Amino acid sequence: MVDNARDEGLPEGLAGYVELISRFTSGALSAPGFETRYLEFTKQDGMLYREPMFGIIDKLFGDVDEYFDDPDATPEERAQAAETLRRQAQDALDKLRGLHADDAEAP
């Protein structure tokens, strides 16, 4: 969920990432659901991003790609893997929002 006050005026490409990541970090999407949607979203995204935005999106892509919802894992192991991915996504979200805040404050 995009925080309207904080995320108003986001560039189009950035808004899509913020919306998707926010849905996951708020608990609206499960880790496996986020994994599927994020990988699809980034693969279908035709935008070319500059640094540091590209680096943030790409790092989270790697984190998501590394995530594995092992059906043989214990519930605790699955929960830990999901929580690790959620923390990584929150870090990316904070950084993306920070970029937007920096742009909004620029003269």
Side-chain angles (χ1 to χ4, degrees):
M1 297 162 211
V2 173
D3 179 340
N4 289 332
R6 185 180 347 176
D7 300 333
E8 188 173 314
L10 287 168
E12 185 177 330
L14 182 57
Y17 282 100
V18 167
E19 171 70 22
L20 179 58
I21 298 166
S22 294
R23 289 182 59 218
F24 175 53
T25 59
S26 71
L29 274 177
S30 67
F34 176 69
E35 173 190 30
T36 299
R37 286 177 180 84
Y38 189 83
L39 295 176
E40 287 174 0
F41 187 85
T42 56
K43 289 176 183 176
Q44 293 176 2
D45 183 13
M47 298 285 291
L48 297 175
Y49 299 101
R50 295 184 196 173
E51 289 295 341
M53 188 173 168
F54 174 77
I56 296 166
I57 292 167
D58 189 54
K59 181 183 180 321
L60 185 56
F61 183 91
D63 294 337
V64 170
D65 192 44
E66 193 174 290
Y67 168 79
F68 176 61
D69 187 35
D70 185 354
D72 296 327
T74 66
E76 293 80 17
E77 291 168 330
R78 294 176 82 186
Q80 179 60 41
E83 183 55 34
T84 297
L85 182 58
R86 196 172 312 279
R87 281 194 311 269
Q88 292 164 326
Q90 185 64 57
D91 183 55
L93 181 61
D94 293 344
K95 288 177 180 175
L96 290 172
R97 284 181 168 154
L99 293 177
H100 174 59
D102 291 346
D103 287 346
E105 294 172 8

